[in-house]
Amino acid sequence: MNYEWNYTPPTASEQEAAAELARKLNVSSVVARLLMGRGITTEEEARRFFRPQLHDLHDPFLMTDMDLAVERLNMAMGRKERIMIYGDYDVDGVTAVALVYRFLRQYYSNIDYYIPDRYEEGYGVSRQGIDYAKQTDVKLIIILDCGIKAVEEIAYAKSQGIDFIICDHHVPDDILPPAVAILNAKRQGATYPYKDLSGCGVGFKLMQAFALSNGIAFSTLVPLLDLVVVSIAADIVPIMGENRILAYHGMKQLNTGPSTGLKAIIDVCGLTDKDIHMTDIIFKMGPRINASGRIQNGKESVRLLIEHDYDQAIKLARQIDQYNEERKELDKRMTEEASRLVSQLPEMQDESAIVIVGEDWHKGVIGIVASRLTELYFRPAVVLTKWGDEVTGSARSVTGFDVYKAIESCRDLLENFGGHTYAAGLSMKEENVSAFRERFNQYVAANIRPEQIKPSLNIDAEISFREITNKLHNDLKRMRPFGPENPKPVFCTHQVYDYGTSKVVGRDQEHIKLELVDSKSNNVMNGIAFGQSSEARYIKTKRSFDIAYTIEENTHKRGEVQLLIEDIKTHAQNDDAQRGIPTDTER
């Protein structure tokens, strides 16, 4: 992949400030520059970043309607009313339901949980779910990770004598549902200090407020933070501010004392006795939790996440692992079909976005397919499938482009929609697809920047191999957990050479195992470049090239580091078209 490298070298004053910060913190100057790039410029800010403290979490009662939510919840318990915990069928939704259910179940028994069926009920609040609540004498529903747009449905529930507390983080409309309380920091006029909690994070804040109002020690909430970090990682929300505190302590909980259900998932994923990172949640744990909602029903994941018996949990985990295998097969087939469909569209070369419809594509997998198309074609993608008398689907976006706003601009053509900056869901009548495609493309063309539809890498620092020390690696580990707004640092080094032992590896000879030296030191660095074997011939000529990479721990040689090569720029390429950082001949 020939990425465009985006890098702005630090100024002399920035280097001086970084050196001063490095001295105060006893960290490498490289890490000090990384901190400053994240807006962390003082010793106190850095210490809070490196060691987030739970006592720095915001007062949950700063959230609009939190007092009303806690009052209604306490009233329900006092009256011994039946309470339903209702949530979306994705990772964020099921972890939120499991968290609230598990915590309240310790103090109250007349409680149930509900996950709508993706295929029979669709996204969010359903009349079927409300009718079930009515039949089971539910008086209060706490809804998590959805509900902010369910105006008609919640009005219907109210007519049936059922109250709602909404815990959501999706963008609201101007008209809000008639709920008793709406907990959403994105509400118009909301004053809560942090806007980017996950749906599970909002549920955690409700439980924090409930505990405060009832004299329950905060320590009883800490074991639930493993669920919160799973939601944060899987829902790809920013990992700064309050989310960093929750994620940092959630990772500690996940690695040292995970709940029974998550322990079973860890074991099924092959992560037993390993140091679990955010990428493990995103690529291994999250897809399995998601799989039951995609293939069957998300209730199965909730059942696993609230299970106390390990033998039962491992059976459930193996079942959702099987669902995940089915999901992968569907994903592969549908992505191939979608890519073929895109490549056959003559207008695709000129359009700024992708909008395609499949005849019988699996509704539970189209979001993944949209993500794949975005990665393949570097443009926003909407993937739809026919469902009854409508088409329904998912949208995904490229870095920096708000696909939710693009969809919102077409709202008069839609039956329903909702989501975030980078991911959204939508449905419409089939006859509106053509008009939607045209309008959506027009909006994207008018609002997307050219650099957003090119493959690019943001380089954090240019370093030499002599700067890659154990201290640097240890300092980088202190910056975990990584994610949006605190991405894993990407470095570049110029004029590196094959040490003479690099070789092509992999079942299909698609990767390169590298041993490299640079022009400024005698250090030999090990690295792996996945899917880049096309560069092997040039590398073996002993000519110099440039690399962009992250620094990882070598899992085969504990205590040693290796480079995960993101991109290779040969000087032959640089001579043809200079991209981003100056080549050695131009510096």
Side-chain angles (χ1 to χ4, degrees):
M1 177 68 71
N2 292 320
Y3 287 98
E4 181 171 321
W5 294 6
N6 302 320
Y7 177 61
T8 304
T11 63
S13 61
E14 286 171 340
Q15 288 179 316
E16 187 178 327
E20 177 64 14
L21 186 61
R23 185 187 63 75
K24 288 178 178 177
L25 298 171
N26 191 28
V27 298
S28 71
S29 59
V30 173
V31 167
R33 293 205 304 272
L34 295 175
L35 292 174
M36 293 184 69
R38 285 152 175 75
I40 298 165
T41 58
T42 69
E43 187 176 357
E44 179 57 29
E45 288 171 341
R47 294 196 189 284
R48 286 190 174 205
F49 177 82
F50 282 139
R51 295 189 61 82
Q53 300 297 311
L54 288 169
H55 60 67
D56 286 331
L57 290 172
H58 299 306
D59 178 350
F61 285 100
L62 294 175
M63 192 173 289
T64 304
D65 283 2
M66 185 62 82
D67 55 341
L68 300 176
V70 171
E71 181 183 1
R72 183 63 185 89
L73 178 54
N74 283 332
M75 183 189 297
M77 290 183 166
R79 292 175 175 175
K80 301 200 179 330
E81 293 175 346
R82 187 154 183 78
I83 301 170
M84 175 186 283
I85 315 302
Y86 189 122
D88 188 21
Y89 36 63
D90 69 358
V91 177
D92 194 12
V94 300
T95 53
V97 169
L99 184 150
V100 173
Y101 180 86
R102 274 174 49 189
F103 189 71
L104 291 182
R105 193 72 176 77
Q106 299 173 85
Y107 309 101
Y108 192 69
S109 60
N110 195 13
I111 189 169
D112 194 7
Y113 64 87
Y114 190 90
I115 304 290
D117 186 283
R118 183 190 292 261
Y119 307 101
E120 292 184 8
E121 300 168 75
Y123 170 79
V125 184
S126 71
R127 290 219 170 197
Q128 185 175 322
I130 293 168
D131 290 340
Y132 173 78
K134 179 69 174 175
Q135 291 162 15
T136 55
D137 200 31
V138 167
K139 299 297 182 188
L140 175 64
I141 294 177
I142 300 173
I143 187 160
L144 298 137
D145 193 35
C146 54
I148 197 64
K149 292 192 172 186
V151 176
E152 292 181 9
E153 292 81 3
I154 291 178
Y156 170 69
K158 192 173 181 180
S159 74
Q160 301 299 306
I162 300 171
D163 285 337
F164 264 79
I165 295 171
I166 298 174
C167 301
D168 204 350
H169 67 137
H170 296 95
V171 179
D173 278 338
D174 292 337
I175 299 173
L176 297 175
V180 169
I182 299 175
L183 307 180
N184 187 326
K186 295 185 176 81
R187 283 179 64 171
Q188 185 101 21
T191 57
Y192 190 71
Y194 190 71
K195 307 295 183 189
D196 294 311
L197 292 167
S198 64
C200 186
V202 180
F204 180 85
K205 298 305 292 188
L206 174 59
M207 294 301 94
Q208 184 187 1
F210 171 80
L212 276 170
S213 76
N214 288 281
I216 299 169
F218 180 82
S219 59
T220 59
L221 286 160
V222 172
L224 299 170
L225 289 173
D226 56 0
L227 290 168
V228 180
V229 73
V230 169
S231 80
I232 287 171
D235 224 49
I236 318 181
V237 292
I239 306 187
M240 292 293 274
E242 192 165 34
N243 275 347
R244 178 163 177 80
I245 301 172
L246 294 168
Y248 178 89
H249 289 278
M251 288 304 297
K252 285 175 67 174
Q253 187 69 32
L254 194 63
N255 276 290
T256 60
S259 62
T260 305
L262 286 176
K263 176 67 170 73
I265 295 173
I266 288 166
D267 292 345
V268 163
C269 288
L271 295 171
T272 311
D273 298 327
K274 293 183 179 177
D275 189 17
I276 298 169
H277 303 305
M278 297 295 272
T279 50
D280 295 316
I281 299 174
I282 294 168
F283 296 111
K284 295 181 179 179
M285 298 176 68
R288 286 168 170 83
I289 296 171
N290 247 338
S292 68
R294 294 188 186 281
I295 304 300
Q296 290 292 330
N297 189 293
K299 288 178 184 175
E300 294 186 50
S301 286
V302 177
R303 195 176 306 135
L304 168 60
L305 295 175
I306 65 174
E307 182 57 61
H308 294 293
D309 180 76
Y310 180 79
D311 290 339
Q312 184 61 28
I314 199 70
K315 288 178 186 175
L316 292 167
R318 286 173 181 150
Q319 179 61 65
I320 68 169
D321 186 54
Q322 184 56 46
Y323 293 151
N324 193 49
E325 291 302 313
E326 293 178 42
R327 188 274 305 167
K328 286 194 283 189
E329 286 298 316
L330 284 166
D331 172 8
K332 183 173 182 291
R333 176 179 64 80
M334 285 170 54
T335 299
E336 289 171 353
E337 290 178 10
S339 293
R340 191 160 53 247
L341 186 58
V342 171
S343 65
Q344 291 170 353
L345 294 172
E347 69 273 17
M348 274 309 303
Q349 299 303 317
D350 303 316
E351 292 192 339
S352 302
I354 295 167
V355 180
I356 56 172
V357 184
E359 286 292 327
D360 58 350
W361 287 346
H362 197 285
K363 191 178 174 184
V365 184
I366 49 180
I368 301 173
V369 176
S371 294
R372 302 269 190 258
L373 294 181
T374 298
E375 293 165 7
L376 282 169
Y377 294 98
F378 299 100
R379 62 188 81 182
V382 178
V383 178
L384 302 162
T385 187
K386 292 180 182 177
W387 192 258
D389 61 348
E390 293 182 354
V391 293
T392 184
S394 293
R396 296 294 184 269
S397 192
V398 294
T399 302
F401 182 77
D402 192 334
V403 75
Y404 176 86
K405 285 186 178 177
I407 290 170
E408 188 179 38
S409 73
C410 309
R411 65 184 306 155
D412 57 300
L413 299 171
L414 306 177
E415 298 298 305
N416 198 8
F417 72 99
H420 312 281
T421 299
Y422 293 119
L426 67 162
S427 62
M428 71 190 81
K429 298 293 185 185
E430 188 174 356
E431 59 264 27
N432 287 342
V433 170
S434 179
F436 172 81
R437 179 183 287 114
E438 183 178 352
R439 289 250 302 272
F440 183 79
N441 263 288
Q442 286 173 350
Y443 182 95
V444 175
N447 291 277
I448 203 163
R449 299 190 306 274
E451 64 268 22
Q452 290 176 317
I453 53 175
K454 294 178 182 175
S456 62
L457 276 177
N458 292 323
I459 306 294
D460 289 276
E462 180 184 347
I463 61 176
S464 68
F465 284 174
R466 67 167 170 252
E467 294 177 88
I468 304 175
T469 62
N470 285 333
K471 177 169 179 51
L472 173 62
H473 184 231
N474 289 330
D475 288 344
L476 289 172
K477 287 196 287 187
R478 294 173 66 190
M479 295 183 69
R480 296 173 184 166
F482 296 118
E485 295 187 10
N486 181 40
K488 183 177 289 185
V490 177
F491 303 98
C492 73
T493 301
H494 292 282
Q495 272 197 308
V496 303
Y497 303 84
D498 177 27
Y499 186 62
T501 48
S502 298
K503 59 184 178 181
V504 174
V505 296
R507 186 173 62 184
D508 298 316
Q509 300 287 284
E510 67 270 41
H511 316 307
I512 317 174
K513 191 175 186 300
L514 296 156
E515 287 191 330
L516 303 172
V517 292
D518 70 356
S519 59
K520 296 181 180 178
S521 70
N522 294 320
N523 293 2
V524 180
M525 293 300 307
N526 294 310
I528 182 77
F530 291 113
Q532 298 181 64
S533 59
S534 60
E535 306 292 355
R537 180 174 295 179
Y538 178 94
I539 289 168
K540 297 304 286 184
T541 66
K542 296 295 184 73
R543 286 183 285 174
S544 69
F545 53 98
D546 307 331
I547 55 172
Y549 55 90
T550 60
I551 298 173
E552 312 288 339
E553 188 157 348
N554 190 329
T555 54
H556 301 294
K557 295 180 180 178
R558 199 161 186 82
E560 292 188 15
V561 300
Q562 67 174 359
L563 311 182
L564 179 58
I565 312 295
E566 300 282 344
D567 195 30
I568 295 170
K569 283 198 186 305
T570 65
H571 288 166
Q573 292 170 339
N574 288 337
D575 290 341
D576 291 339
Q578 174 55 41
R579 300 184 179 196
I581 301 171
T583 63
D584 298 296
T585 57
E586 292 175 323
R587 280 183 295 167

Coordinates of all heavy atoms in Angstrom, one line a residue, residues 5-7 9 459 461-468 491-497 516-521 543-549 563 567-571 574 578-587:
W5 N 2.1 10.0 3.6 CA 2.5 10.1 5.0 C 2.3 11.6 5.4 O 2.8 12.5 4.8 CB 4.0 9.8 5.1 CG 4.3 8.3 4.9 CD1 3.5 7.4 4.5 CD2 5.6 7.7 5.1 NE1 4.1 6.2 4.4 CE2 5.4 6.4 4.8 CE3 6.8 8.2 5.5 CZ2 6.5 5.5 4.8 CZ3 7.9 7.3 5.6 CH2 7.7 5.9 5.3
N6 N 1.6 11.8 6.5 CA 1.3 13.1 7.0 C 2.2 13.3 8.2 O 2.0 12.6 9.2 CB -0.2 13.3 7.4 CG -1.1 13.0 6.2 OD1 -0.8 13.4 5.1 ND2 -2.2 12.3 6.4
Y7 N 3.0 14.3 8.1 CA 3.9 14.6 9.2 C 4.4 16.0 9.3 O 4.7 16.6 8.2 CB 5.2 13.7 9.1 CG 6.2 13.9 10.2 CD1 5.9 13.7 11.5 CD2 7.5 14.4 9.9 CE1 6.9 14.0 12.5 CE2 8.5 14.6 10.8 CZ 8.1 14.4 12.2 OH 9.1 14.6 13.2
P9 N 7.1 18.2 11.3 CA 8.2 18.2 12.2 C 8.0 19.2 13.3 O 7.5 20.3 13.1 CB 9.5 18.5 11.4 CG 9.0 18.2 9.9 CD 7.6 18.5 9.9
I459 N 2.0 10.3 10.8 CA 3.3 9.9 11.4 C 3.4 10.8 12.7 O 3.3 12.0 12.6 CB 4.5 10.2 10.5 CG1 4.3 9.4 9.2 CG2 5.8 9.8 11.2 CD1 4.3 7.9 9.3
A461 N 6.2 10.7 14.8 CA 7.6 11.2 15.0 C 8.5 10.5 14.1 O 8.3 9.3 13.7 CB 8.0 10.9 16.5
E462 N 9.6 11.2 13.7 CA 10.6 10.6 12.9 C 11.8 10.3 13.8 O 12.3 11.2 14.5 CB 11.1 11.6 11.8 CG 12.2 11.1 10.9 CD 12.7 12.1 9.9 OE1 12.0 13.2 9.8 OE2 13.8 11.9 9.4
I463 N 12.2 9.1 13.9 CA 13.3 8.7 14.8 C 14.3 7.8 14.1 O 14.0 7.2 13.0 CB 12.7 7.9 16.0 CG1 11.9 6.6 15.6 CG2 11.7 8.8 16.8 CD1 11.4 5.8 16.8
S464 N 15.4 7.6 14.8 CA 16.4 6.6 14.3 C 16.3 5.4 15.2 O 15.8 5.4 16.2 CB 17.8 7.2 14.4 OG 18.2 7.4 15.7
F465 N 17.0 4.3 14.7 CA 16.9 3.0 15.5 C 17.6 3.2 16.8 O 17.3 2.5 17.8 CB 17.6 1.9 14.6 CG 16.7 1.4 13.5 CD1 17.2 0.5 12.6 CD2 15.4 1.8 13.3 CE1 16.5 0.0 11.6 CE2 14.6 1.4 12.3 CZ 15.2 0.4 11.4
R466 N 18.6 4.1 16.9 CA 19.3 4.2 18.2 C 18.3 4.8 19.3 O 18.6 4.6 20.5 CB 20.5 5.0 18.1 CG 20.3 6.5 17.8 CD 21.6 7.3 18.0 NE 21.5 8.6 17.5 CZ 22.1 9.0 16.4 NH1 22.9 8.2 15.7 NH2 22.0 10.3 16.0
E467 N 17.2 5.4 18.9 CA 16.3 5.9 19.9 C 15.3 4.8 20.3 O 14.5 5.1 21.2 CB 15.5 7.1 19.2 CG 16.4 8.3 19.0 CD 15.6 9.4 18.3 OE1 15.0 10.2 19.0 OE2 15.6 9.4 17.0
I468 N 15.2 3.7 19.7 CA 14.3 2.6 20.0 C 15.0 1.8 21.1 O 15.7 0.8 20.9 CB 13.9 1.7 18.8 CG1 13.4 2.6 17.7 CG2 12.9 0.7 19.2 CD1 13.1 1.9 16.4
F491 N 5.7 5.7 13.9 CA 7.0 6.3 13.7 C 7.5 6.1 12.2 O 7.0 5.2 11.5 CB 8.0 5.7 14.6 CG 7.6 5.9 16.1 CD1 7.0 4.8 16.8 CD2 7.8 7.1 16.8 CE1 6.7 4.9 18.1 CE2 7.4 7.2 18.1 CZ 6.9 6.1 18.8
C492 N 8.4 6.9 11.8 CA 9.1 6.6 10.6 C 10.6 6.7 10.7 O 11.1 7.5 11.6 CB 8.6 7.5 9.4 SG 9.2 9.2 9.6
T493 N 11.3 6.0 10.0 CA 12.8 6.0 9.9 C 13.2 6.0 8.5 O 12.7 5.2 7.7 CB 13.4 4.8 10.7 OG1 13.0 4.8 12.0 CG2 15.0 4.9 10.6
H494 N 14.1 6.9 8.1 CA 14.6 7.1 6.7 C 15.9 6.3 6.6 O 16.7 6.1 7.5 CB 14.8 8.5 6.4 CG 13.5 9.3 6.3 ND1 12.7 9.2 5.2 CD2 13.0 10.1 7.2 CE1 11.6 10.0 5.4 NE2 11.8 10.6 6.6
Q495 N 16.2 5.9 5.3 CA 17.4 5.3 4.9 C 17.7 4.1 5.8 O 18.7 4.0 6.5 CB 18.6 6.3 5.1 CG 18.8 7.1 3.8 CD 20.2 7.8 3.8 OE1 20.6 8.4 4.7 NE2 20.9 7.6 2.7
V496 N 16.8 3.1 5.7 CA 17.1 1.8 6.3 C 17.5 0.8 5.3 O 17.2 1.0 4.1 CB 15.9 1.3 7.1 CG1 15.4 2.3 8.2 CG2 14.7 0.9 6.2
Y497 N 18.2 -0.2 5.7 CA 18.7 -1.2 4.8 C 18.5 -2.6 5.3 O 18.4 -2.9 6.5 CB 20.3 -1.1 4.6 CG 20.7 0.3 4.1 CD1 20.9 1.3 5.1 CD2 20.9 0.6 2.8 CE1 21.3 2.6 4.6 CE2 21.4 1.8 2.4 CZ 21.6 2.8 3.3 OH 22.0 4.1 2.9
L516 N 16.7 -5.2 9.9 CA 17.1 -3.9 9.3 C 18.1 -3.2 10.1 O 18.2 -3.3 11.3 CB 15.9 -3.0 9.1 CG 14.7 -3.6 8.4 CD1 13.5 -2.7 8.5 CD2 15.0 -3.8 6.9
V517 N 18.9 -2.4 9.4 CA 19.8 -1.4 10.0 C 19.5 0.0 9.4 O 18.9 0.0 8.3 CB 21.3 -1.7 9.9 CG1 21.6 -3.0 10.6 CG2 21.6 -1.9 8.4
D518 N 19.8 1.1 10.1 CA 19.6 2.4 9.5 C 21.0 3.1 9.4 O 22.0 2.5 9.8 CB 18.6 3.2 10.3 CG 19.2 3.7 11.7 OD1 20.3 3.3 12.0 OD2 18.4 4.4 12.4
S519 N 21.0 4.2 8.8 CA 22.2 4.9 8.5 C 22.8 5.6 9.7 O 23.9 6.1 9.5 CB 21.9 5.9 7.4 OG 21.0 6.9 7.8
K520 N 22.2 5.6 10.8 CA 22.7 6.4 12.0 C 23.1 5.6 13.1 O 23.5 6.1 14.2 CB 21.6 7.4 12.4 CG 21.2 8.4 11.4 CD 20.1 9.4 11.9 CE 19.8 10.4 10.8 NZ 18.7 11.3 11.2
S521 N 23.0 4.3 13.1 CA 23.4 3.4 14.2 C 23.7 2.0 13.7 O 23.4 1.7 12.5 CB 22.2 3.3 15.2 OG 21.2 2.6 14.7
R543 N 19.6 -1.5 -1.5 CA 19.4 -0.1 -1.5 C 18.5 0.4 -0.4 O 17.8 -0.4 0.2 CB 18.7 0.3 -2.9 CG 19.6 0.2 -4.1 CD 18.8 0.6 -5.4 NE 17.9 -0.4 -5.8 CZ 17.0 -0.2 -6.8 NH1 17.0 0.9 -7.4 NH2 16.2 -1.2 -7.1
S544 N 18.6 1.7 0.0 CA 17.9 2.2 1.1 C 16.5 2.4 0.8 O 16.1 2.6 -0.3 CB 18.6 3.5 1.6 OG 18.3 4.5 0.7
F545 N 15.7 2.4 1.9 CA 14.2 2.7 1.8 C 13.8 3.3 3.1 O 14.5 3.3 4.1 CB 13.4 1.5 1.4 CG 13.7 0.3 2.3 CD1 12.8 0.0 3.3 CD2 14.7 -0.6 2.1 CE1 13.0 -1.1 4.1 CE2 14.9 -1.7 2.9 CZ 14.1 -2.0 3.9
D546 N 12.5 3.8 3.1 CA 12.0 4.4 4.3 C 10.8 3.6 4.9 O 10.1 2.9 4.0 CB 11.4 5.8 4.0 CG 12.5 6.7 3.4 OD1 13.7 6.5 3.6 OD2 12.1 7.6 2.6
I547 N 10.7 3.5 6.2 CA 9.6 2.7 6.7 C 8.8 3.5 7.7 O 9.3 4.4 8.4 CB 10.1 1.5 7.5 CG1 11.2 1.8 8.5 CG2 10.7 0.5 6.5 CD1 11.6 0.7 9.4
A548 N 7.5 3.2 7.8 CA 6.6 3.7 8.8 C 6.1 2.5 9.6 O 5.8 1.5 9.0 CB 5.4 4.4 8.2
Y549 N 6.0 2.6 10.9 CA 5.8 1.4 11.8 C 5.4 1.8 13.2 O 5.5 3.0 13.6 CB 7.2 0.7 11.9 CG 8.3 1.5 12.4 CD1 8.6 1.6 13.8 CD2 9.1 2.2 11.5 CE1 9.6 2.4 14.3 CE2 10.2 3.0 12.0 CZ 10.4 3.1 13.4 OH 11.4 3.8 13.8
L563 N 9.4 -4.2 15.1 CA 8.6 -3.2 14.3 C 7.5 -3.8 13.5 O 7.8 -4.8 12.8 CB 9.6 -2.4 13.4 CG 10.9 -1.9 14.0 CD1 11.7 -1.1 13.0 CD2 10.6 -1.1 15.2
D567 N 4.1 0.7 6.4 CA 4.3 1.0 5.0 C 5.8 1.1 4.7 O 6.6 1.4 5.5 CB 3.6 2.4 4.7 CG 3.5 2.7 3.2 OD1 3.3 1.7 2.4 OD2 3.5 3.9 2.8
I568 N 6.1 0.8 3.4 CA 7.5 0.8 2.9 C 7.5 1.7 1.7 O 6.7 1.6 0.8 CB 8.0 -0.6 2.5 CG1 8.0 -1.5 3.7 CG2 9.3 -0.5 1.8 CD1 8.3 -3.0 3.4
K569 N 8.4 2.7 1.8 CA 8.6 3.6 0.6 C 10.0 3.4 0.1 O 11.0 3.7 0.7 CB 8.4 5.1 1.0 CG 7.0 5.4 1.2 CD 6.8 6.9 1.2 CE 5.4 7.4 1.5 NZ 4.4 6.7 0.6
T570 N 10.1 2.8 -1.1 CA 11.4 2.6 -1.7 C 11.8 4.0 -2.3 O 10.9 4.8 -2.7 CB 11.4 1.6 -2.8 OG1 10.5 2.0 -3.9 CG2 10.9 0.3 -2.3
H571 N 13.1 4.2 -2.5 CA 13.5 5.5 -3.1 C 13.2 5.6 -4.6 O 13.1 6.7 -5.1 CB 15.0 5.7 -2.8 CG 15.2 6.1 -1.3 ND1 16.4 6.1 -0.7 CD2 14.3 6.4 -0.3 CE1 16.2 6.4 0.6 NE2 15.0 6.6 0.8
N574 N 9.9 7.2 -4.3 CA 10.0 8.6 -3.9 C 10.5 9.5 -5.1 O 10.1 10.6 -5.2 CB 10.9 8.7 -2.8 CG 10.3 8.2 -1.5 OD1 9.1 8.1 -1.3 ND2 11.2 7.8 -0.5
Q578 N 7.0 12.3 -4.9 CA 7.3 12.6 -3.5 C 5.9 12.8 -2.7 O 5.1 13.5 -3.1 CB 8.1 13.9 -3.4 CG 8.3 14.4 -1.9 CD 8.9 13.3 -1.1 OE1 9.8 12.6 -1.6 NE2 8.5 13.1 0.1
R579 N 5.9 12.0 -1.5 CA 4.6 12.1 -0.8 C 5.0 12.4 0.7 O 5.6 11.6 1.3 CB 3.9 10.8 -0.8 CG 3.5 10.4 -2.2 CD 2.6 9.2 -2.3 NE 2.3 8.9 -3.6 CZ 1.3 8.0 -3.9 NH1 0.6 7.4 -3.0 NH2 1.0 7.7 -5.1
G580 N 4.5 13.5 1.2 CA 4.6 13.8 2.6 C 6.0 14.2 3.1 O 6.4 15.3 2.9
I581 N 6.7 13.3 3.6 CA 8.0 13.6 4.3 C 9.1 13.6 3.2 O 9.1 12.8 2.3 CB 8.3 12.5 5.3 CG1 7.2 12.4 6.3 CG2 9.7 12.7 5.9 CD1 7.4 11.3 7.3
P582 N 10.0 14.6 3.3 CA 11.1 14.7 2.3 C 11.9 13.5 2.2 O 12.2 12.9 3.2 CB 11.9 15.9 2.7 CG 10.9 16.7 3.6 CD 10.1 15.7 4.3
T583 N 12.4 13.1 1.0 CA 13.3 12.0 0.9 C 14.7 12.5 1.3 O 15.0 13.7 1.5 CB 13.4 11.6 -0.6 OG1 13.9 12.6 -1.4 CG2 12.1 11.1 -1.1
D584 N 15.6 11.6 1.4 CA 17.0 11.9 1.8 C 17.7 12.9 0.9 O 18.4 13.7 1.3 CB 17.8 10.6 2.0 CG 17.2 9.7 3.0 OD1 17.2 10.1 4.2 OD2 16.7 8.7 2.7
T585 N 17.4 12.7 -0.4 CA 18.0 13.6 -1.4 C 17.5 15.0 -1.4 O 18.1 16.0 -1.8 CB 17.8 13.1 -2.8 OG1 16.4 12.9 -3.1 CG2 18.5 11.7 -3.0
E586 N 16.3 15.2 -0.8 CA 15.7 16.5 -0.8 C 15.8 17.2 0.6 O 15.5 18.4 0.7 CB 14.2 16.4 -1.1 CG 13.9 15.9 -2.5 CD 12.4 15.7 -2.8 OE1 11.8 15.2 -1.9 OE2 12.0 16.0 -3.9
R587 N 16.3 16.5 1.6 CA 16.5 17.1 2.9 C 17.8 17.9 3.0 O 18.8 17.5 2.4 CB 16.4 16.1 4.0 CG 14.9 15.7 4.3 CD 14.8 14.7 5.4 NE 15.5 13.4 5.0 CZ 15.8 12.5 5.8 NH1 15.5 12.6 7.1 NH2 16.3 11.4 5.4

